[in-house]
Amino acid sequence: MKYSIAIFFLIFSLYVTAQDRATLNYSNEPISNVFSELEEKFNIKFSFNSELVNDRFITLQVTDALLEDILFFLEEKASIRIKKASDRYYTVKGKRIRLTDTQELDEVLIKEYVTTGISKKNDDASLSLSIKKLGIIPGLTEPDVLQSIQLIPGVQSPTETASGLYIRGGTPDQNLILWDGIKMYYSGHFFGTISAFNPYITDEVKVYKNGTRARYGNRISGVIDIASDSDIPDEINGGLGFNMTHADAFLKVPVSEKAAVMLSARRSITDAFSTETFRNLSQRVFQETKISNGNKVFEDDEVLTTKDLFYFTDLTLKTTVKPNDKNEFTLSSLYTKNKLDYGFLIEEFEEASEDNLEIINQGLSFNWKHDYNNSFSHEINVYNSNFELDYLGSNSIVDEFSDALTKRNKIDDFGLAFDSDWKLNKTTTIGFGYQFSSNNVEFGLGFVDSESPEENFNESNKDTNNAHALYFDYQYKLSNKWFLNAGIRTNYFSVLDKLFIEPRLQLETALNTNFRFKLSGEKLHQAVSQIVEFNTQEFGLENQIWALSDDETIPVLESAQITAGFIFDKSGWNIDIEAYYRNIKGLTSFTLGFDNIDDFFSVGKSNVFGLDVLVKKKIQSYRTWLSYSIMNNDFTFDNINNGNKFSGNNDITHHLTWSHTYEWKRFDVSLGWNVRTGIPYTKASGLVDTPDGKVIDFEETNRDRLPNYDRLDISATYKFNMSSNEKRKGKLGVSLLNVYNKENVLSRTYEKRQGTVEEGEVLREVNRTSLGITPNLVFRLEF
C-alpha cells in the first residue's frame, strides 16, 4: 500500500502543466532594463522609485526559468525586495544587508538548495531559509522553523520532534540557536513537537552544519541563526490563523517612514478544544509516563483525573528604526512558556498524585548596524536570555505517606558583541570582533520521603562563567572561481580559568562550469551542556538540566571536524555531496544517560564518519529531491564495554528521504517518504538476585538495534483572495502524518514491575512508539 501511494504520486506529479519561462543573459546591465524586458516577456508591471534603480547594474544568466525563480535571483543579487501585489503588479523596495553579503553582488550566485525558499550561496557554508518563500513541506500545512531544517541532509530528529535536532552526530544541546541575537535554551512547545518560533514573523534562518564563521562560538555542533522581520511597511499589515493545536496572530505597524513596530502571539487551543491532532500528539508524548498510566501498581486500578491543564504560548515584540541609509536600530523581545498541571487519584487506596511543570524562556536584545562608508561597517548586539524550569511532583496516601520531588533549572545569560567588516579591496575583506557573556547557571534536585527520612536528599549547584572571545576572519574572493575564508577565535572561560583556541577554514573553487569543490575544517569548544538526571525518570519528560563545565565530572566539550565535497549543477539537476569526520571529546555518562550504567561516572569520546548526499530535479512546476545520509558514530568510554568502542546512542546508519512537490494555479501538494535505520539500544536478558534485591541484567551496551523506521506524509494547501486588489488573502490546508499508520519504535528501555503475588517483581520491556496517523487542518487570513 505505502509503495503504491509513492509510485502513484510520482506518476501523477510528472504530468506537469507548462508555464511561461524565459532565458536571460545579462552582463552589467542596468536593472531598469531588466525590469522592462521582464514586463514584456511575462505581461507584468513593476512599481518602484526611480532613485532605487539608478546606478544599479546586474549580471545574470538563467535558462528556461520561471518568473518566481528570476525574481528570487534578482532579490539576492541586487539587494532588493520584490513583493507581489496582484497577479500582474509587483512592487520593488530596497533591502539593507551587511557589507560582507553585498560585496561583489554581480558575481554571487544563489542556488535553490532543496525547495523554494531554501538556498545556498557559494561564498558561505550556511544554508539560508526564507520562511516567507518556503515551499510546501510534506506533512506540514504551514511552515515550522525547526521542522523545515530537517529537510537538510545530515539533520535528523530520532525522537520525531521539531526541537530535537541531531546534526552530524551532535546532540540538541550542542546546537547554538539564536533568535535576533538571543541565545535560546529551550526551543520547543509541547515537549518539542512544535518549534517555539512564530514562522510568520521570521525573515531568515541561517543554518551551519560545518564551516561556521568565527563570530559563532560556545557550541560544538550546528548553528541555527534566526532573524525576525525588520522591514518597515508602508501600511499596517498582519495575519491570523489557527490549526488543530494552536492559534496565532501578528501585526506590523509603521510608526513613520523610518520606524515600525511588530508584535505576534501564539497560544495552544487544546485546553479549550480537544482535537484529534492533539490527542495523537498527547498519546505520543505522554506514553509510558505517570500521566499515561496514572501511577498504577496493578493494571486493573481505577484512576480518576483531578487536574488536566496544559498549554503553551509565545509572544514577541520588535521595534525597528532606520533613521538613514547608514544606520539601523532594532529592539527585540521574546517570551515562551509551557505549563503542565496534572493530577490523579486511585480512589480504592486514596492515593493522590500531582505533577506540575513550568518552562519559561524569555529574552531581550538591542542591535545597531552602522555603515561608515562603502568599505567599513559594524554591528553591536546586547542581549539578555533567561531560562527557568520548575517541576514539582508529589504522591501521597492519607495517614500513610507523603512524597515530594522537586527540580529546578535556571539560566541568566547576559552578553554583548562587537562585530565589524572592512573591505580592503575588490577581492579581500577582513572581519574582527569581541564578545562577552556572563552565564549564571543554577540547578537543584530535592526529595522528601515521609516514611524513610534517611532517603531524603537536596542537591544544588550554582556557578557563573564569564566568557571573553576575540576573533578574526580573512575572506578572499576571486570572481566566481575561488572563495577562501580563514578565521581564528580565542575563548576564555572564567569557570575554568582557561583559554581555548579555535581555528576555522573554508575553501570553495569552481573546477569547471558545472563542478565545484569545497573543503572546510574547524575546532570548537562548549562550556555549558545538558546532563541527564534520573530522579524524575518516572515522570519521563524533560529529564535533562543545563550545567556548567567544571573540568571534572562535566568536562569542556571539544569538537574537531573536517568536511570535503562536490557540487554539480546542470540542466535542472543539482547534486551536492559532502563527506565529513568529527571527533568529540568530553562526553560523560551523566550527559548521555546509559541504561546499564549506575552509580559511577565515566568520560568518553565520539568518532563520527559520515556522507550526506542531495539529488534534486525540477521539471516546471514539479520538484523532487532525494536526501541520503550514511553515518557511523562510535563511542569509547574507559569504564563501559571494557573500553571497546560501541555504537552511539543516536547512531542512525542510513537515513533516506524522498520528497515531491507540485504547484498548480493556487494549489500546492507535497508528499514525502522518510526511511531510516533504527537506533541502538541495550538489551536486558532478565532480573538477577543481589543482596540489595533484584536488578536488571543488561547485555552489551548498544549492541542491538530497533526495527527500521519509515513514514509517509502528505499535505496540500489552497490560496485564495478575499479582495479585488489582493491585499486580503487566505489559505486552507490539510495534512496527514504517517499515512499508512506505521508503528515505529523510537526507544526501548526496561524496568522492574510488580507482577502477580506469585510472580513478584518481573522485567518489563518499555517501548516508546512514533506518532500514529495524524491529520491536521489550517486556516489563515492575511491583510
Side-chain angles (χ1 to χ4, degrees):
M1 173 64 179
K2 57 189 178 184
Y3 303 105
S4 300
I5 295 175
I7 295 171
F8 171 77
F9 185 86
L10 176 61
I11 296 174
F12 171 76
S13 299
L14 289 172
Y15 182 75
V16 295
T17 303
Q19 296 185 4
D20 291 337
R21 309 172 77 84
T23 297
L24 305 174
N25 189 348
Y26 299 117
S27 178
N28 205 29
E29 184 79 10
I31 196 170
S32 57
N33 294 351
V34 177
F35 286 152
S36 298
E37 184 172 346
L38 291 177
E39 287 179 337
E40 182 178 348
K41 284 182 176 292
F42 291 98
N43 191 27
I44 58 175
K45 289 290 183 181
F46 290 99
S47 174
F48 52 84
N49 188 327
S50 59
E51 295 181 359
L52 175 66
V53 299
N54 287 343
D55 300 322
R56 288 195 183 229
F57 301 85
I58 193 168
T59 296
L60 176 67
Q61 295 181 353
V62 295
T63 302
D64 196 27
L66 293 170
L67 174 62
E68 63 177 26
D69 296 325
I70 297 172
L71 298 182
F72 176 74
F73 292 144
L74 287 177
E75 285 187 316
E76 297 294 339
K77 293 167 73 69
S79 187
I80 57 177
R81 289 187 180 276
I82 303 175
K83 183 178 181 180
K84 185 176 182 179
S86 67
D87 286 338
R88 189 183 180 199
Y89 290 93
Y90 293 80
T91 58
V92 184
K93 295 183 179 181
K95 179 174 66 172
R96 183 188 184 284
I97 55 178
R98 302 292 308 280
L99 285 175
T100 52
D101 293 327
T102 58
Q103 63 171 346
E104 300 296 328
L105 280 175
D106 57 329
E107 299 185 13
V108 175
L109 183 61
I110 312 295
K111 288 292 184 183
E112 178 184 290
Y113 184 66
V114 175
T115 186
T116 306
I118 303 180
S119 59
K120 183 174 184 177
K121 300 180 182 180
N122 63 4
D123 65 345
D124 197 338
S126 70
L127 297 171
S128 175
L129 282 74
S130 175
I131 301 299
K132 298 175 185 176
K133 300 174 183 177
L134 194 62
I136 187 170
I137 296 174
L140 296 181
T141 51
E142 52 187 343
D144 184 287
V145 174
L146 297 183
Q147 286 185 339
S148 301
I149 295 172
Q150 296 177 30
L151 293 175
I152 300 170
V155 181
Q156 301 165 332
S157 178
T159 57
E160 249 187 7
T161 60
S163 60
L165 299 180
Y166 291 73
I167 298 178
R168 289 183 168 174
T171 55
D173 65 307
Q174 295 170 2
N175 297 324
L176 175 63
I177 300 180
L178 302 171
W179 186 88
D180 278 0
I182 303 169
K183 290 182 185 177
M184 301 300 298
Y185 292 89
Y186 192 80
S187 55
H189 283 318
F190 196 16
F191 306 103
T193 56
I194 302 167
S195 65
F197 311 108
N198 191 329
Y200 297 104
I201 61 161
T202 300
D203 182 37
E204 182 186 31
V205 182
K206 278 191 173 183
V207 181
Y208 290 85
K209 296 187 295 182
N210 58 276
T212 51
R213 303 293 295 271
R215 65 181 298 182
Y216 298 110
N218 203 17
R219 293 294 190 276
I220 66 167
S221 193
V223 175
I224 302 171
D225 192 351
I226 305 168
S228 64
D229 197 344
S230 59
D231 282 349
I232 298 177
D234 295 327
E235 57 185 1
I236 296 176
N237 64 73
L240 54 93
F242 65 88
N243 59 27
M244 306 306 286
T245 59
H246 62 272
D248 79 280
F250 71 92
L251 196 64
K252 301 175 184 177
V253 182
V255 179
S256 67
E257 292 183 354
K258 299 180 178 181
V261 175
M262 178 180 69
L263 63 157
S264 74
R266 288 195 303 174
R267 193 188 188 282
S268 59
I269 61 174
T270 51
D271 51 339
F273 305 98
S274 180
T275 66
E276 180 69 16
T277 305
F278 178 69
R279 285 192 292 270
N280 288 0
L281 288 173
S282 297
Q283 184 178 357
R284 152 72 181 83
V285 168
F286 295 122
Q287 61 180 310
E288 299 298 340
T289 67
K290 289 172 63 179
I291 290 179
S292 66
N293 61 34
N295 210 30
K296 293 180 180 180
V297 176
F298 302 102
E299 291 298 327
D300 58 351
D301 286 341
E302 294 185 5
V303 179
L304 173 67
T305 300
T306 56
K307 293 182 180 180
D308 188 6
L309 172 67
F310 172 77
Y311 71 88
F312 61 80
T313 186
D314 59 71
L315 306 168
T316 66
L317 177 63
K318 183 174 184 176
T319 301
T320 302
V321 179
K322 300 179 181 178
N324 49 53
D325 292 337
K326 293 184 177 294
N327 290 280
E328 177 182 307
F329 302 90
T330 59
L331 183 65
S332 304
S333 63
L334 170 69
Y335 175 86
T336 72
K337 181 178 181 179
N338 284 259
K339 174 71 173 178
L340 172 71
D341 191 1
Y342 191 86
F344 47 84
L345 175 68
I346 301 178
E347 293 184 285
E348 182 179 356
F349 304 104
E350 295 186 339
E351 181 178 357
S353 182
E354 291 187 8
D355 290 286
N356 190 301
L357 177 67
E358 185 173 87
I359 304 173
I360 296 175
N361 201 161
Q362 56 187 325
L364 180 70
S365 70
F366 170 77
N367 199 72
W368 173 31
K369 297 178 182 178
H370 177 64
D371 293 339
Y372 290 91
N373 49 48
N374 291 331
S375 299
F376 187 74
S377 69
H378 81 236
E379 180 177 345
I380 294 176
N381 174 263
V382 182
Y383 76 89
N384 184 248
S385 179
N386 294 100
F387 166 78
E388 292 184 50
L389 182 150
D390 285 291
Y391 168 73
L392 172 61
S394 64
N395 190 38
S396 63
I397 295 179
V398 178
D399 298 329
E400 289 193 25
F401 70 88
S402 178
D403 300 338
L405 180 65
T406 60
K407 176 171 64 174
R408 70 180 186 278
N409 194 194
K410 185 176 181 180
I411 298 177
D412 188 6
D413 187 350
F414 169 79
L416 58 88
F418 172 82
D419 184 60
S420 64
D421 289 290
W422 184 12
K423 183 178 179 182
L424 300 180
N425 52 50
K426 188 176 180 180
T427 60
T428 306
T429 300
I430 62 173
F432 53 90
Y434 165 76
Q435 293 175 356
F436 166 79
S437 65
S438 180
N439 203 348
N440 184 281
V441 182
E442 176 184 0
F443 69 84
L445 299 169
F447 179 69
V448 176
D449 187 338
S450 61
E451 290 185 308
S452 305
E454 68 278 3
E455 295 186 7
N456 293 354
F457 66 86
N458 192 347
E459 301 174 5
S460 63
N461 185 70
K462 183 177 181 180
D463 211 340
T464 300
N465 181 40
N466 293 321
H468 302 266
L470 288 170
Y471 58 88
F472 174 85
D473 272 316
Y474 170 83
Q475 186 179 103
Y476 174 79
K477 186 177 191 303
L478 179 61
S479 185
N480 198 32
K481 297 180 180 179
W482 284 96
F483 174 77
L484 170 69
N485 190 87
I488 190 166
R489 179 185 177 96
T490 60
N491 296 306
Y492 171 76
F493 298 146
S494 68
V495 71
L496 304 171
D497 193 22
K498 287 186 178 181
L499 188 70
F500 299 89
I501 308 297
E502 299 179 349
R504 318 278 179 95
L505 175 68
Q506 183 196 352
L507 172 69
E508 189 165 319
T509 182
L511 302 179
N512 57 37
T513 306
N514 307 118
F515 269 104
R516 299 184 68 85
F517 171 75
K518 52 185 177 178
L519 175 72
S520 70
E522 60 189 358
K523 192 172 185 179
L524 308 169
H525 297 86
Q526 181 171 333
V528 59
S529 56
Q530 287 184 319
I531 62 176
V532 178
E533 57 83 20
F534 295 97
N535 297 291
T536 54
Q537 192 174 23
E538 188 179 17
F539 178 60
L541 300 168
E542 305 304 335
N543 66 331
Q544 292 182 313
I545 56 178
W546 289 95
L548 280 173
S549 299
D550 57 13
D551 223 14
E552 294 180 359
T553 56
I554 309 175
V556 169
L557 290 168
E558 178 183 308
S559 171
Q561 179 177 204
I562 185 169
T563 304
F566 293 90
I567 300 173
F568 173 79
D569 182 18
K570 185 177 182 181
S571 303
W573 286 97
N574 301 105
I575 302 175
D576 192 328
I577 301 174
E578 277 191 348
Y580 61 90
Y581 167 73
R582 290 187 68 191
N583 176 262
I584 302 174
K585 298 178 181 179
L587 301 176
T588 73
S589 53
F590 288 165
T591 58
L592 295 170
F594 297 105
D595 290 332
N596 60 334
I597 306 301
D598 190 24
D599 294 333
F600 73 93
F601 166 77
S602 182
V603 178
K605 63 180 182 180
S606 171
N607 287 298
V608 187
F609 293 89
L611 180 73
D612 294 334
V613 180
L614 175 69
V615 180
K616 181 175 72 72
K617 176 65 175 177
K618 181 179 178 183
I619 308 172
Q620 298 184 12
S621 297
Y622 167 69
R623 289 178 176 86
T624 183
W625 65 91
L626 188 146
S627 166
Y628 172 69
S629 295
I630 181 171
M631 180 177 67
N632 183 67
N633 184 2
D634 286 334
F635 286 169
T636 305
F637 284 76
D638 291 339
N639 299 331
I640 303 176
N641 199 35
N642 298 318
N644 298 318
K645 65 180 182 180
F646 57 94
S647 296
N649 289 359
N650 291 284
D651 175 36
I652 298 177
T653 308
H654 302 280
H655 186 195
L656 182 144
T657 60
W658 186 24
S659 302
H660 315 266
T661 65
Y662 179 65
E663 303 170 5
W664 179 70
K665 295 183 177 179
R666 298 182 183 274
F667 289 94
D668 291 336
V669 181
S670 181
L671 180 144
W673 196 18
N674 190 332
V675 184
R676 63 171 171 82
T677 307
I679 63 172
Y681 76 99
T682 303
K683 189 174 182 179
S685 57
L687 296 176
V688 295
D689 292 317
T690 71
D692 298 322
K694 290 185 177 182
V695 298
I696 301 175
D697 183 24
F698 287 97
E699 298 180 4
E700 186 176 326
T701 303
N702 287 354
R703 185 184 63 184
D704 294 274
R705 283 187 178 271
L706 297 175
N708 292 340
Y709 175 103
D710 68 281
R711 195 177 85 178
L712 183 69
D713 303 327
I714 190 169
S715 55
T717 61
Y718 172 73
K719 299 174 183 177
F720 57 92
N721 293 318
M722 300 182 65
S723 61
S724 56
N725 59 6
E726 298 190 7
K727 288 188 175 181
R728 292 190 295 275
K729 302 178 181 180
K731 183 177 80 169
L732 287 169
V734 61
S735 67
L736 197 60
L737 296 172
N738 199 354
V739 173
Y740 45 84
N741 201 27
K742 172 70 179 296
E743 185 178 276
N744 295 293
V745 180
L746 301 179
S747 69
R748 177 171 293 166
T749 57
Y750 297 87
E751 68 175 11
K752 291 186 297 182
R753 190 79 173 182
Q754 181 64 45
T756 64
V757 176
E758 294 79 12
E759 291 175 330
E761 288 185 318
V762 296
L763 179 68
R764 179 173 178 262
E765 183 180 271
V766 180
N767 289 319
R768 294 179 185 268
T769 57
S770 63
L771 194 67
I773 183 169
T774 303
N776 202 354
L777 301 172
V778 66
F779 175 74
R780 293 202 61 79
L781 296 175
E782 293 189 6
F783 55 89

